[in-house]
Structure formats: structure tokens, C-alpha cells
Short mmCIF file of all heavy atoms in Angstrom, two decimals:
data_model
loop_
_atom_site.label_atom_id
_atom_site.label_comp_id
_atom_site.label_asym_id
_atom_site.label_seq_id
_atom_site.Cartn_x
_atom_site.Cartn_y
_atom_site.Cartn_z
N MET L 1 -8.74 7.97 0.25
CA MET L 1 -7.81 7.36 -0.72
C MET L 1 -8.60 6.71 -1.86
O MET L 1 -9.53 5.97 -1.62
CB MET L 1 -6.98 6.31 0.03
CG MET L 1 -6.13 5.47 -0.88
SD MET L 1 -4.43 5.54 -0.49
CE MET L 1 -3.89 4.26 -1.64
N LYS L 2 -8.20 7.01 -3.07
CA LYS L 2 -8.91 6.46 -4.23
C LYS L 2 -8.64 4.97 -4.36
O LYS L 2 -7.53 4.50 -4.12
CB LYS L 2 -8.44 7.17 -5.51
CG LYS L 2 -9.01 8.55 -5.65
CD LYS L 2 -8.52 9.18 -6.95
CE LYS L 2 -8.95 10.63 -7.03
NZ LYS L 2 -8.24 11.33 -8.11
N LYS L 3 -9.67 4.24 -4.79
CA LYS L 3 -9.59 2.78 -4.89
C LYS L 3 -8.57 2.33 -5.94
O LYS L 3 -7.93 1.30 -5.80
CB LYS L 3 -10.97 2.20 -5.26
CG LYS L 3 -11.91 2.12 -4.08
CD LYS L 3 -11.85 0.73 -3.44
CE LYS L 3 -12.92 0.53 -2.40
NZ LYS L 3 -12.43 0.36 -1.05
N ASP L 4 -8.48 3.10 -7.02
CA ASP L 4 -7.61 2.67 -8.13
C ASP L 4 -6.18 3.15 -7.97
O ASP L 4 -5.34 2.91 -8.82
CB ASP L 4 -8.19 3.15 -9.47
CG ASP L 4 -8.34 4.67 -9.52
OD1 ASP L 4 -8.28 5.31 -8.45
OD2 ASP L 4 -8.51 5.20 -10.62
N LYS L 5 -5.90 3.83 -6.88
CA LYS L 5 -4.55 4.34 -6.64
C LYS L 5 -3.74 3.31 -5.85
O LYS L 5 -4.24 2.77 -4.86
CB LYS L 5 -4.66 5.64 -5.84
CG LYS L 5 -3.71 6.72 -6.30
CD LYS L 5 -4.06 8.02 -5.60
CE LYS L 5 -2.97 9.05 -5.75
NZ LYS L 5 -2.80 9.58 -7.09
N THR L 6 -2.53 3.05 -6.27
CA THR L 6 -1.66 2.16 -5.49
C THR L 6 -0.73 3.00 -4.63
O THR L 6 -0.45 4.16 -4.95
CB THR L 6 -0.82 1.26 -6.41
OG1 THR L 6 0.08 2.07 -7.14
CG2 THR L 6 -1.68 0.44 -7.33
N PHE L 7 -0.24 2.40 -3.56
CA PHE L 7 0.73 3.11 -2.73
C PHE L 7 1.97 3.46 -3.54
O PHE L 7 2.64 4.46 -3.26
CB PHE L 7 1.14 2.25 -1.53
CG PHE L 7 0.02 2.02 -0.55
CD1 PHE L 7 -0.15 0.79 0.05
CD2 PHE L 7 -0.85 3.04 -0.23
CE1 PHE L 7 -1.18 0.58 0.95
CE2 PHE L 7 -1.88 2.84 0.67
CZ PHE L 7 -2.04 1.60 1.27
N CYS L 8 2.25 2.66 -4.53
CA CYS L 8 3.43 2.88 -5.37
C CYS L 8 3.35 4.20 -6.14
O CYS L 8 4.37 4.79 -6.45
CB CYS L 8 3.57 1.72 -6.34
SG CYS L 8 3.47 0.11 -5.54
N ASP L 9 2.12 4.62 -6.43
CA ASP L 9 1.90 5.85 -7.20
C ASP L 9 1.94 7.12 -6.36
O ASP L 9 2.00 8.21 -6.89
CB ASP L 9 0.51 5.82 -7.85
CG ASP L 9 0.40 4.77 -8.92
OD1 ASP L 9 1.44 4.47 -9.54
OD2 ASP L 9 -0.70 4.28 -9.14
N LEU L 10 1.83 6.98 -5.06
CA LEU L 10 1.60 8.14 -4.22
C LEU L 10 2.83 9.06 -4.16
O LEU L 10 3.95 8.59 -4.05
CB LEU L 10 1.23 7.71 -2.80
CG LEU L 10 -0.01 6.83 -2.68
CD1 LEU L 10 -0.25 6.49 -1.22
CD2 LEU L 10 -1.23 7.48 -3.29
N SER L 11 2.56 10.33 -4.18
CA SER L 11 3.63 11.31 -4.02
C SER L 11 3.90 11.53 -2.55
O SER L 11 3.07 11.21 -1.69
CB SER L 11 3.22 12.62 -4.68
OG SER L 11 2.12 13.18 -3.98
N LYS L 12 5.04 12.09 -2.26
CA LYS L 12 5.40 12.41 -0.88
C LYS L 12 4.34 13.32 -0.25
O LYS L 12 3.99 13.17 0.91
CB LYS L 12 6.76 13.12 -0.84
CG LYS L 12 7.91 12.15 -0.81
CD LYS L 12 9.22 12.89 -0.58
CE LYS L 12 9.84 13.34 -1.89
NZ LYS L 12 11.17 13.95 -1.73
N GLU L 13 3.84 14.26 -1.05
CA GLU L 13 2.85 15.20 -0.56
C GLU L 13 1.54 14.49 -0.21
O GLU L 13 0.93 14.76 0.81
CB GLU L 13 2.58 16.28 -1.64
CG GLU L 13 3.72 17.23 -1.86
CD GLU L 13 4.87 16.65 -2.68
OE1 GLU L 13 4.67 15.62 -3.34
OE2 GLU L 13 5.97 17.21 -2.63
N TYR L 14 1.13 13.56 -1.09
CA TYR L 14 -0.11 12.82 -0.85
C TYR L 14 0.02 11.97 0.41
O TYR L 14 -0.90 11.90 1.24
CB TYR L 14 -0.43 11.93 -2.06
CG TYR L 14 -1.79 11.29 -1.98
CD1 TYR L 14 -2.90 11.85 -2.63
CD2 TYR L 14 -1.98 10.12 -1.25
CE1 TYR L 14 -4.14 11.27 -2.55
CE2 TYR L 14 -3.23 9.54 -1.16
CZ TYR L 14 -4.31 10.12 -1.82
OH TYR L 14 -5.55 9.52 -1.72
N ILE L 15 1.15 11.30 0.56
CA ILE L 15 1.38 10.45 1.73
C ILE L 15 1.30 11.29 3.01
O ILE L 15 0.63 10.91 3.96
CB ILE L 15 2.74 9.74 1.61
CG1 ILE L 15 2.70 8.72 0.47
CG2 ILE L 15 3.09 9.04 2.93
CD1 ILE L 15 4.07 8.22 0.05
N ALA L 16 1.93 12.43 3.01
CA ALA L 16 1.93 13.30 4.18
C ALA L 16 0.51 13.75 4.53
O ALA L 16 0.12 13.80 5.70
CB ALA L 16 2.82 14.52 3.93
N LYS L 17 -0.29 14.03 3.52
CA LYS L 17 -1.65 14.51 3.69
C LYS L 17 -2.60 13.42 4.20
O LYS L 17 -3.53 13.69 4.94
CB LYS L 17 -2.17 15.04 2.35
CG LYS L 17 -2.71 16.45 2.38
CD LYS L 17 -3.13 16.85 0.97
CE LYS L 17 -3.84 18.19 1.00
NZ LYS L 17 -4.22 18.60 -0.36
N HIS L 18 -2.38 12.18 3.74
CA HIS L 18 -3.31 11.08 4.02
C HIS L 18 -2.69 10.02 4.93
O HIS L 18 -3.14 8.88 4.94
CB HIS L 18 -3.75 10.42 2.71
CG HIS L 18 -4.54 11.34 1.83
ND1 HIS L 18 -3.95 12.20 0.96
CD2 HIS L 18 -5.88 11.52 1.70
CE1 HIS L 18 -4.90 12.88 0.32
NE2 HIS L 18 -6.07 12.49 0.75
N LEU L 19 -1.70 10.41 5.68
CA LEU L 19 -0.94 9.42 6.45
C LEU L 19 -1.82 8.57 7.38
O LEU L 19 -1.68 7.36 7.42
CB LEU L 19 0.15 10.13 7.26
CG LEU L 19 1.18 9.20 7.91
CD1 LEU L 19 1.88 8.34 6.86
CD2 LEU L 19 2.20 10.00 8.69
N ASP L 20 -2.74 9.19 8.09
CA ASP L 20 -3.59 8.44 9.03
C ASP L 20 -4.40 7.37 8.31
O ASP L 20 -4.55 6.25 8.79
CB ASP L 20 -4.53 9.39 9.78
CG ASP L 20 -3.78 10.24 10.79
OD1 ASP L 20 -2.62 9.90 11.10
OD2 ASP L 20 -4.35 11.24 11.25
N GLU L 21 -4.94 7.74 7.15
CA GLU L 21 -5.73 6.79 6.37
C GLU L 21 -4.85 5.66 5.84
O GLU L 21 -5.22 4.49 5.87
CB GLU L 21 -6.39 7.54 5.21
CG GLU L 21 -7.37 6.70 4.44
CD GLU L 21 -7.87 7.40 3.17
OE1 GLU L 21 -7.55 8.58 2.97
OE2 GLU L 21 -8.56 6.73 2.39
N ILE L 22 -3.66 6.03 5.37
CA ILE L 22 -2.74 5.03 4.83
C ILE L 22 -2.33 4.03 5.91
O ILE L 22 -2.27 2.82 5.67
CB ILE L 22 -1.52 5.73 4.20
CG1 ILE L 22 -1.94 6.46 2.91
CG2 ILE L 22 -0.41 4.72 3.89
CD1 ILE L 22 -0.92 7.44 2.38
N ILE L 23 -2.10 4.53 7.11
CA ILE L 23 -1.69 3.65 8.20
C ILE L 23 -2.73 2.56 8.46
O ILE L 23 -2.38 1.40 8.69
CB ILE L 23 -1.41 4.48 9.48
CG1 ILE L 23 -0.09 5.24 9.31
CG2 ILE L 23 -1.34 3.58 10.72
CD1 ILE L 23 0.16 6.31 10.36
N THR L 24 -4.01 2.91 8.37
CA THR L 24 -5.05 1.90 8.59
C THR L 24 -5.08 0.85 7.48
O THR L 24 -5.62 -0.23 7.67
CB THR L 24 -6.46 2.55 8.68
OG1 THR L 24 -6.80 3.10 7.41
CG2 THR L 24 -6.50 3.63 9.73
N LEU L 25 -4.49 1.17 6.34
CA LEU L 25 -4.48 0.24 5.19
C LEU L 25 -3.22 -0.62 5.15
O LEU L 25 -3.11 -1.52 4.31
CB LEU L 25 -4.61 1.02 3.88
CG LEU L 25 -5.91 1.81 3.71
CD1 LEU L 25 -5.81 2.72 2.50
CD2 LEU L 25 -7.10 0.89 3.59
N ILE L 26 -2.27 -0.36 6.03
CA ILE L 26 -1.02 -1.13 6.02
C ILE L 26 -0.68 -1.70 7.40
O ILE L 26 0.42 -2.20 7.60
CB ILE L 26 0.17 -0.28 5.49
CG1 ILE L 26 0.36 1.01 6.30
CG2 ILE L 26 -0.02 0.08 4.02
CD1 ILE L 26 1.50 1.02 7.24
N ASP L 27 -1.65 -1.61 8.34
CA ASP L 27 -1.32 -2.01 9.71
C ASP L 27 -1.14 -3.52 9.87
O ASP L 27 -0.44 -3.97 10.77
CB ASP L 27 -2.34 -1.45 10.71
CG ASP L 27 -3.77 -1.90 10.42
OD1 ASP L 27 -3.99 -2.51 9.34
OD2 ASP L 27 -4.64 -1.66 11.25
N LYS L 28 -1.81 -4.29 9.00
CA LYS L 28 -1.61 -5.75 9.02
C LYS L 28 -1.25 -6.22 7.61
O LYS L 28 -2.06 -6.83 6.92
CB LYS L 28 -2.88 -6.45 9.52
CG LYS L 28 -3.18 -6.17 10.97
CD LYS L 28 -4.40 -6.94 11.44
CE LYS L 28 -4.66 -6.70 12.92
NZ LYS L 28 -5.09 -5.28 13.18
N PRO L 29 -0.04 -5.93 7.18
CA PRO L 29 0.31 -6.17 5.78
C PRO L 29 0.31 -7.64 5.40
O PRO L 29 0.84 -8.48 6.13
CB PRO L 29 1.72 -5.57 5.66
CG PRO L 29 2.25 -5.54 7.05
CD PRO L 29 1.06 -5.35 7.95
N LYS L 30 -0.34 -7.94 4.27
CA LYS L 30 -0.37 -9.31 3.74
C LYS L 30 0.36 -9.38 2.40
O LYS L 30 0.64 -10.47 1.91
CB LYS L 30 -1.82 -9.75 3.54
CG LYS L 30 -2.61 -9.96 4.82
CD LYS L 30 -3.86 -10.78 4.51
CE LYS L 30 -4.80 -10.86 5.69
NZ LYS L 30 -5.73 -9.71 5.71
N PHE L 31 0.63 -8.22 1.82
CA PHE L 31 1.25 -8.18 0.49
C PHE L 31 2.42 -7.21 0.48
O PHE L 31 2.41 -6.20 1.18
CB PHE L 31 0.22 -7.76 -0.57
CG PHE L 31 -0.91 -8.73 -0.72
CD1 PHE L 31 -2.05 -8.60 0.04
CD2 PHE L 31 -0.82 -9.78 -1.61
CE1 PHE L 31 -3.10 -9.50 -0.07
CE2 PHE L 31 -1.86 -10.68 -1.75
CZ PHE L 31 -3.00 -10.55 -0.98
N ILE L 32 3.40 -7.55 -0.35
CA ILE L 32 4.51 -6.64 -0.59
C ILE L 32 4.61 -6.40 -2.09
O ILE L 32 4.32 -7.31 -2.89
CB ILE L 32 5.84 -7.20 -0.02
CG1 ILE L 32 6.99 -6.20 -0.22
CG2 ILE L 32 6.19 -8.56 -0.65
CD1 ILE L 32 8.22 -6.50 0.61
N CYS L 33 4.98 -5.20 -2.48
CA CYS L 33 5.20 -4.92 -3.89
C CYS L 33 6.63 -5.33 -4.23
O CYS L 33 7.58 -4.87 -3.59
CB CYS L 33 4.99 -3.44 -4.17
SG CYS L 33 5.31 -3.06 -5.90
N ARG L 34 6.76 -6.20 -5.22
CA ARG L 34 8.10 -6.69 -5.54
C ARG L 34 8.89 -5.69 -6.37
O ARG L 34 10.07 -5.87 -6.63
CB ARG L 34 8.03 -8.05 -6.24
CG ARG L 34 7.39 -8.05 -7.61
CD ARG L 34 7.37 -9.48 -8.15
NE ARG L 34 6.37 -9.68 -9.16
CZ ARG L 34 6.59 -9.46 -10.46
NH1 ARG L 34 7.76 -9.07 -10.87
NH2 ARG L 34 5.64 -9.66 -11.34
N LYS L 35 8.25 -4.64 -6.80
CA LYS L 35 8.94 -3.60 -7.55
C LYS L 35 9.37 -2.46 -6.62
O LYS L 35 10.48 -1.95 -6.74
CB LYS L 35 8.02 -3.06 -8.64
CG LYS L 35 8.69 -2.14 -9.63
CD LYS L 35 7.69 -1.66 -10.66
CE LYS L 35 8.13 -0.35 -11.24
NZ LYS L 35 7.00 0.53 -11.57
N CYS L 36 8.48 -2.08 -5.70
CA CYS L 36 8.72 -0.88 -4.89
C CYS L 36 8.99 -1.20 -3.42
O CYS L 36 9.30 -0.29 -2.66
CB CYS L 36 7.51 0.04 -4.98
SG CYS L 36 6.80 0.14 -6.63
N ALA L 37 8.82 -2.46 -3.02
CA ALA L 37 9.04 -2.89 -1.62
C ALA L 37 8.11 -2.18 -0.64
O ALA L 37 8.46 -1.99 0.51
CB ALA L 37 10.51 -2.71 -1.22
N ARG L 38 6.94 -1.80 -1.11
CA ARG L 38 5.92 -1.25 -0.21
C ARG L 38 5.01 -2.40 0.24
O ARG L 38 4.89 -3.39 -0.47
CB ARG L 38 5.10 -0.18 -0.91
CG ARG L 38 5.96 1.01 -1.27
CD ARG L 38 5.16 2.07 -1.98
NE ARG L 38 6.08 3.00 -2.63
CZ ARG L 38 5.97 4.32 -2.58
NH1 ARG L 38 5.00 4.89 -1.92
NH2 ARG L 38 6.84 5.07 -3.19
N VAL L 39 4.39 -2.25 1.38
CA VAL L 39 3.50 -3.28 1.89
C VAL L 39 2.08 -2.74 2.04
O VAL L 39 1.89 -1.53 2.15
CB VAL L 39 3.98 -3.87 3.24
CG1 VAL L 39 5.31 -4.59 3.06
CG2 VAL L 39 4.07 -2.79 4.30
N ALA L 40 1.09 -3.68 2.04
CA ALA L 40 -0.30 -3.28 2.18
C ALA L 40 -1.13 -4.45 2.67
O ALA L 40 -0.76 -5.61 2.50
CB ALA L 40 -0.84 -2.79 0.85
N ASN L 41 -2.28 -4.12 3.28
CA ASN L 41 -3.22 -5.16 3.70
C ASN L 41 -3.85 -5.85 2.49
O ASN L 41 -4.13 -7.05 2.54
CB ASN L 41 -4.34 -4.56 4.56
CG ASN L 41 -3.82 -3.99 5.87
OD1 ASN L 41 -2.64 -4.07 6.17
ND2 ASN L 41 -4.71 -3.40 6.63
N GLU L 42 -4.10 -5.07 1.45
CA GLU L 42 -4.76 -5.59 0.26
C GLU L 42 -3.85 -5.46 -0.95
O GLU L 42 -3.14 -4.47 -1.10
CB GLU L 42 -6.05 -4.79 -0.01
CG GLU L 42 -7.05 -4.78 1.14
CD GLU L 42 -7.58 -6.16 1.45
OE1 GLU L 42 -7.65 -7.00 0.53
OE2 GLU L 42 -7.93 -6.39 2.62
N SER L 43 -3.92 -6.45 -1.84
CA SER L 43 -3.05 -6.44 -3.02
C SER L 43 -3.38 -5.30 -3.98
O SER L 43 -2.53 -4.88 -4.75
CB SER L 43 -3.18 -7.77 -3.76
OG SER L 43 -4.51 -7.97 -4.18
N THR L 44 -4.61 -4.81 -3.91
CA THR L 44 -5.05 -3.76 -4.84
C THR L 44 -4.29 -2.45 -4.66
O THR L 44 -4.33 -1.60 -5.53
CB THR L 44 -6.56 -3.48 -4.65
OG1 THR L 44 -6.81 -3.27 -3.26
CG2 THR L 44 -7.38 -4.64 -5.14
N HIS L 45 -3.62 -2.29 -3.53
CA HIS L 45 -2.91 -1.04 -3.29
C HIS L 45 -1.46 -1.07 -3.79
O HIS L 45 -0.72 -0.11 -3.58
CB HIS L 45 -2.90 -0.72 -1.79
CG HIS L 45 -4.27 -0.45 -1.23
ND1 HIS L 45 -5.09 0.54 -1.71
CD2 HIS L 45 -4.97 -1.05 -0.25
CE1 HIS L 45 -6.23 0.54 -1.05
NE2 HIS L 45 -6.18 -0.42 -0.15
N LEU L 46 -1.07 -2.18 -4.42
CA LEU L 46 0.31 -2.31 -4.89
C LEU L 46 0.34 -2.58 -6.39
O LEU L 46 -0.57 -3.20 -6.94
CB LEU L 46 1.00 -3.46 -4.14
CG LEU L 46 1.02 -3.34 -2.61
CD1 LEU L 46 1.47 -4.64 -1.99
CD2 LEU L 46 1.87 -2.18 -2.16
N CYS L 47 1.42 -2.15 -7.06
CA CYS L 47 1.47 -2.34 -8.51
C CYS L 47 1.93 -3.75 -8.89
O CYS L 47 1.50 -4.30 -9.90
CB CYS L 47 2.35 -1.27 -9.16
SG CYS L 47 4.09 -1.33 -8.75
N LYS L 48 2.83 -4.35 -8.08
CA LYS L 48 3.27 -5.73 -8.34
C LYS L 48 3.17 -6.54 -7.05
O LYS L 48 4.18 -6.89 -6.45
CB LYS L 48 4.74 -5.75 -8.84
CG LYS L 48 4.98 -4.96 -10.10
CD LYS L 48 4.58 -5.76 -11.32
CE LYS L 48 4.83 -4.93 -12.58
NZ LYS L 48 4.12 -5.46 -13.75
N PRO L 49 1.95 -6.79 -6.59
CA PRO L 49 1.78 -7.43 -5.29
C PRO L 49 2.24 -8.89 -5.26
O PRO L 49 2.02 -9.64 -6.20
CB PRO L 49 0.27 -7.34 -5.05
CG PRO L 49 -0.33 -7.21 -6.40
CD PRO L 49 0.68 -6.50 -7.25
N VAL L 50 2.90 -9.24 -4.18
CA VAL L 50 3.28 -10.62 -3.90
C VAL L 50 2.85 -10.90 -2.47
O VAL L 50 3.08 -10.07 -1.58
CB VAL L 50 4.81 -10.84 -4.03
CG1 VAL L 50 5.19 -12.27 -3.66
CG2 VAL L 50 5.26 -10.50 -5.45
N LYS L 51 2.23 -12.06 -2.27
CA LYS L 51 1.74 -12.39 -0.93
C LYS L 51 2.92 -12.61 0.03
O LYS L 51 3.88 -13.31 -0.31
CB LYS L 51 0.89 -13.66 -1.00
CG LYS L 51 -0.17 -13.73 0.07
CD LYS L 51 -1.15 -14.88 -0.26
CE LYS L 51 -2.42 -14.75 0.57
NZ LYS L 51 -2.19 -14.91 2.02
N LEU L 52 2.82 -12.01 1.20
CA LEU L 52 3.85 -12.24 2.22
C LEU L 52 3.61 -13.62 2.82
O LEU L 52 2.49 -14.04 3.03
CB LEU L 52 3.73 -11.19 3.33
CG LEU L 52 4.22 -9.79 3.00
CD1 LEU L 52 3.76 -8.81 4.08
CD2 LEU L 52 5.71 -9.73 2.84
N LYS L 53 4.71 -14.30 3.11
CA LYS L 53 4.58 -15.62 3.73
C LYS L 53 4.34 -15.46 5.22
O LYS L 53 4.96 -14.63 5.88
CB LYS L 53 5.83 -16.44 3.48
CG LYS L 53 5.85 -17.00 2.08
CD LYS L 53 7.15 -17.72 1.77
CE LYS L 53 7.18 -18.11 0.31
NZ LYS L 53 8.54 -18.21 -0.19
N ASN L 54 3.44 -16.28 5.74
CA ASN L 54 3.21 -16.28 7.18
C ASN L 54 4.33 -17.03 7.87
O ASN L 54 4.74 -18.08 7.43
CB ASN L 54 1.87 -16.96 7.49
CG ASN L 54 0.71 -16.19 6.93
OD1 ASN L 54 0.70 -14.96 6.95
ND2 ASN L 54 -0.26 -16.89 6.40
N LYS L 55 4.79 -16.42 8.94
CA LYS L 55 5.87 -17.08 9.67
C LYS L 55 5.30 -18.03 10.71
O LYS L 55 4.26 -17.75 11.28
CB LYS L 55 6.74 -16.02 10.34
CG LYS L 55 7.72 -15.43 9.35
CD LYS L 55 8.58 -14.35 10.02
CE LYS L 55 9.36 -13.60 8.98
NZ LYS L 55 9.91 -12.34 9.50
ZN1 ZN Y 1 4.81 -1.06 -6.60
#
């Protein structure tokens, strides 16, 4: 997965191809994209990252 690519940009085809890699990047999500509602471990993978609150 390219460093400058966000999950928000990914096509369905790319996600299907790289699913295993993507799973390792979202297994402990700390951020949510407030535009696309996608989650990620690192904010760099989202276009409008917002930190998730710890419960
Ligand atoms: Zn986004």
C-alpha cells in the first residue's frame, strides 16, 4: 500500500486486491474519517481524520 494513498481514495478493486494488508492497518483503529466514515490505525490513511475517543 502506498504511503500517500488514503483509504478514502481506494477503489473497490484495490481493496479486494490488498485486503490482507489493509486489515493489518485498521485492526486497532484510532482515527475515523469524518467525510467517509472509514477508520484506520494511523491518521495518514484518511482524508479528514478525527481521533476516536477512548471509551
Ligand atoms: Zn475520507
Side-chain angles (χ1 to χ4, degrees):
M1 171 123 173
K2 285 181 187 167
K3 281 266 189 246
D4 59 344
K5 222 170 166 69
T6 66
F7 293 140
C8 310
D9 292 331
L10 302 180
S11 66
K12 274 188 271 185
E13 290 77 17
Y14 188 98
I15 292 166
K17 234 178 173 178
H18 295 85
L19 191 58
D20 289 345
E21 188 188 353
I22 290 166
I23 287 168
T24 67
L25 297 170
I26 57 105
D27 59 350
K28 292 183 178 68
K30 291 197 189 86
F31 296 90
I32 183 165
C33 178
R34 66 182 158 88
K35 190 180 155 214
C36 320
R38 295 180 196 226
V39 295
N41 296 357
E42 303 296 332
S43 61
T44 51
H45 295 302
L46 303 169
C47 66
K48 301 279 180 197
V50 177
K51 208 168 195 295
L52 286 168
K53 282 175 186 153
N54 295 321
K55 279 179 190 164

